[in-house]
Amino acid sequence: MAENPGPTSPGSGTESGLGGKKKGAMSWVWGMTGGIISRMSGEKEGAESGSDKRKPQARKAFWNKRSQARLPGTVKQVRGAQYPPLTAKQSMPVLRQPENKQSLGAPRKSNSQQTLGGQKSTGLGNSVQKSVSPTQNTPGTTGHPDSGDGEEDVEKKERNEQTETRPGTDSANALSKRAQIFKLINEPTLDLGELRRRSWSGLCPAVRNDAWQLLLGYQPANRERRGPTVAKRRKEYQDHCNKHYSRDDSRYSASEKKIMHQIRLDTKRTLPGVKLIQHEAIQLILERILYIWSIRHPASGYVQGINDLVVPFLMVFLASKAGVVPQHLEEKHLKDENLQLVEPDAFWCLSKLLDGIQDHYTSAQPGIQRMVFKLEELIHRLDQPLHAHLKKHNIRFFHFSYRWMNCLLMREVSLPLIIRVWDTYIAEPDGFKVFHIYVCAAMLIRFSPDLRKLDEFQDLIVYLQNLPTKDWTEVDVETVLAQAYVYKYQFEGAENHLH
């Protein structure tokens, strides 16, 4: 029986001896490296287990820390910022009234008045600031240093007027709007666009005086320049009166006498239903304003109908000085010091208005003819049955709408409502030249059902020249204005749609 060979010596040269050497070397290397790896792994595990035993919360804290990290693309929720509690108390802005002896409820004393061209005036711009500032006296409701009556009376009459014409109107809204316009006017540089936007829907009597003068450009937008500018304008008007006007007709030339004769005839016919207009002092003011305007505008001169356009300015400015609404003006409010301030203001505002529609009063009155023609096109497009009915009975639009364009509806609507209409006209760019046409169209369409029932030429003419607006309220006027705005939005700038 053969014996197993013994271990091969390293020096053996046989094949089996070489294989045995390789296997032994690999076993030795594996044993060495495996042991080292096993010992390192065991030490690491031992260290971790020992650490966990010493600090059992370490692993948990580690992973919690990582979970709170902000990773790219994650959104962190913020509670309470975007969604405040529904039960939170909602605080409304409180209007602070001037805290002085002449605040609401206390009668005011009249301040010294400025004569035309005098040096006593502090300027309309500074007076507006006084009406808003709580640290200064407020001598008048519109902030003019020449206003005499108390603010309490104005607010009471304002509320009465709103109650009569607009039942259910919240007086707090009117007071808030008034305060906002006061604040806007008191800015160092007025934002005219914002004032136009706030004035379009109507102005309260307390701010109408300044708002009209600012929107027409009589008062400048810069608050610091208002006082000097108005004082200069008043003096300039007084100089014109001293130079050109006289109660002695012998000073006038033949042509000037003719102009003055026509003016005096028309002033007596101006709004015969308004008693205050027939007062001698108002008649003289109308006479001077119209004559000075005709002298300064020789291309057109005086034309019948301009006399009506002075009245709203006189009434609004006088009411502001007296501290009442225009329909409550009485003879006792016609104080000399107030009239001296109102007259030049009314003259310059009238001039600003007529500058935009001067072609209404030049030869052949092309401006009025264009407005009448456009009104007819609008009715043809908006109310074909009415247009056909008028045409069938030989009613030409010039027969009735000439007066609407020439006098700007002064003879069709009562004076308080005309003042409301002018709030929008003055706030609207080219209100007297462009927007007025759409107002006439809206008003005519409003009476369309009644007009189409009339079958006689004379009945139609009488109706159109005496529209049944006697019982109209501010709501009726604002309905017409709103409809006119819709028509303007549809057709203005797109005349091809009218053909």
Side-chain angles (χ1 to χ4, degrees):
M1 181 174 174
E3 295 180 0
N4 291 332
T8 306
S9 63
S12 175
T14 63
E15 185 177 351
S16 61
L18 292 174
K21 290 180 180 181
K22 290 180 180 180
K23 291 180 180 178
M26 291 178 64
S27 298
W28 181 79
V29 172
W30 177 258
M32 293 295 292
T33 57
I36 293 172
I37 292 173
S38 298
R39 286 195 299 272
M40 292 176 65
S41 177
E43 290 173 359
K44 184 176 179 180
E45 291 177 359
E48 289 182 358
S49 62
S51 175
D52 289 346
K53 290 178 181 179
R54 291 191 303 270
K55 298 180 180 179
Q57 301 297 328
R59 187 182 299 273
K60 183 177 180 181
F62 173 76
W63 289 109
N64 287 342
K65 182 177 181 181
R66 286 182 61 86
S67 65
Q68 296 174 0
R70 294 287 302 278
L71 299 178
T74 60
V75 179
K76 184 178 180 181
Q77 185 178 10
V78 180
R79 298 184 181 276
Q82 292 84 357
Y83 305 100
L86 295 177
T87 57
K89 184 177 180 180
Q90 302 292 330
S91 60
M92 297 297 292
V94 179
L95 252 170
R96 294 185 177 180
Q97 298 293 339
E99 297 177 358
N100 50 50
K101 295 180 180 180
Q102 293 185 349
S103 59
L104 295 180
R108 306 178 188 278
K109 297 181 180 180
S110 300
N111 289 347
S112 60
Q113 309 296 331
Q114 174 195 8
T115 58
L116 291 175
Q119 303 297 323
K120 293 183 180 181
S121 173
T122 59
L124 299 182
N126 296 335
S127 64
V128 174
Q129 182 178 6
K130 289 181 179 181
S131 68
V132 182
S133 173
T135 60
Q136 299 179 0
N137 291 339
T138 54
T141 58
T142 60
H144 289 280
D146 40 35
S147 297
D149 288 0
E151 187 170 338
E152 182 181 22
D153 296 336
V154 177
E155 291 183 355
K156 285 181 179 179
K157 291 176 179 179
E158 235 177 272
R159 272 188 226 106
N160 292 339
E161 178 188 4
Q162 292 169 356
T163 303
E164 292 172 2
T165 59
R166 307 171 92 180
T169 301
D170 188 0
S171 60
N173 293 335
L175 292 175
S176 176
K177 180 178 179 180
R178 169 185 170 182
Q180 291 171 359
I181 294 180
F182 266 137
K183 182 179 179 181
L184 184 64
I185 291 174
N186 195 49
E187 294 292 332
T189 301
L190 174 66
D191 185 349
L192 281 173
E194 181 65 14
L195 182 59
R196 289 184 188 279
R197 187 183 69 82
R198 293 185 179 276
S199 303
W200 202 99
S201 58
L203 292 162
C204 62
V207 299
R208 184 176 282 126
N209 179 92
D210 291 302
W212 279 19
Q213 293 182 13
L214 287 163
L215 290 173
L216 287 168
Y218 173 52
Q219 290 190 40
N222 185 287
R223 187 182 64 194
E224 299 300 326
R225 293 177 50 220
R226 291 174 195 165
T229 300
V230 170
K232 179 182 177 181
R233 291 286 187 157
R234 287 171 174 171
K235 185 178 186 305
E236 185 179 348
Y237 174 77
Q238 183 63 53
D239 292 341
H240 283 306
C241 289
N242 295 337
K243 182 178 180 180
H244 299 291
Y245 177 80
S246 174
R247 294 289 293 167
D248 182 8
D249 290 353
S250 62
R251 291 182 52 184
Y252 297 133
S253 65
S255 60
E256 291 172 343
K257 287 180 180 179
K258 185 177 180 180
I259 294 173
M260 182 60 74
H261 175 71
Q262 186 62 54
I263 288 174
R264 286 172 177 167
L265 288 176
D266 290 345
T267 54
K268 294 177 182 178
R269 302 168 182 165
T270 303
L271 295 185
V274 181
K275 184 179 179 180
L276 192 69
I277 300 298
Q278 308 307 316
H279 191 277
E280 182 181 2
I282 299 297
Q283 291 284 303
L284 288 175
I285 288 177
L286 287 171
E287 182 179 305
R288 280 193 295 268
I289 288 176
L290 296 172
Y291 183 75
I292 297 301
W293 189 89
S294 68
I295 294 297
R296 285 175 52 86
H297 298 81
S300 61
Y302 171 73
V303 178
Q304 286 180 295
I306 299 178
N307 55 306
D308 289 331
L309 306 185
V310 186
V311 175
F313 294 120
L314 284 177
M315 295 296 100
V316 168
F317 299 164
L318 272 173
S320 175
K321 298 293 183 290
V324 298
V325 293
Q327 55 266 42
H328 293 152
L329 278 171
E330 299 176 2
E331 185 175 344
K332 65 181 181 181
H333 297 126
L334 302 180
K335 301 177 181 178
D336 290 341
E337 56 269 24
N338 289 343
L339 296 175
Q340 288 178 353
L341 298 174
V342 163
E343 183 177 341
D345 294 350
F347 169 80
W348 290 114
C349 287
L350 174 71
S351 299
K352 294 289 185 180
L353 186 158
L354 294 179
D355 285 347
I357 55 174
Q358 193 165 354
D359 58 352
H360 287 201
Y361 308 106
T362 55
S363 178
Q365 299 179 300
I368 290 180
Q369 292 192 43
R370 282 195 303 269
M371 294 176 75
V372 171
F373 179 72
K374 189 171 182 179
L375 174 63
E376 184 174 1
E377 288 185 323
L378 279 170
I379 299 302
H380 181 267
R381 180 69 174 82
L382 294 168
D383 195 338
Q384 177 64 34
L386 175 61
H387 184 273
H389 183 74
L390 296 176
K391 186 176 181 180
K392 175 183 176 182
H393 293 87
N394 299 318
I395 302 293
R396 297 181 58 194
F397 276 72
F398 209 80
H399 290 159
F400 61 90
S401 62
Y402 170 82
R403 190 175 74 182
W404 297 4
M405 306 304 176
N406 189 49
C407 301
L408 300 175
L409 298 178
M410 283 289 301
R411 302 181 186 181
E412 276 63 46
V413 184
S414 65
L415 181 59
L417 298 183
I418 278 293
I419 290 174
R420 167 61 192 91
V421 172
W422 279 31
D423 286 344
T424 300
Y425 281 5
I426 293 173
E428 181 81 18
D430 291 327
F432 294 96
K433 189 173 185 178
V434 176
F435 190 68
H436 177 67
I437 303 173
Y438 296 97
V439 171
C440 292
M443 188 168 66
L444 188 57
I445 292 173
R446 183 184 177 97
F447 297 112
S448 177
D450 294 337
L451 288 167
R452 281 182 284 157
K453 294 177 182 178
L454 301 176
D455 293 326
E456 297 292 335
F457 175 88
Q458 184 176 356
D459 294 339
L460 286 166
I461 287 294
V462 170
Y463 189 97
L464 288 166
Q465 292 182 347
N466 299 275
L467 294 176
T469 61
K470 183 179 180 180
D471 297 328
W472 271 25
T473 66
E474 201 167 302
V475 175
D476 297 295
V477 164
E478 291 185 345
T479 302
V480 171
L481 291 172
Q483 189 61 53
Y485 180 82
V486 174
Y487 295 154
K488 179 176 181 285
Y489 184 82
Q490 287 179 303
F491 297 107
E492 186 60 28
E495 281 73 14
N496 290 336
H497 290 272
L498 296 177
H499 302 291

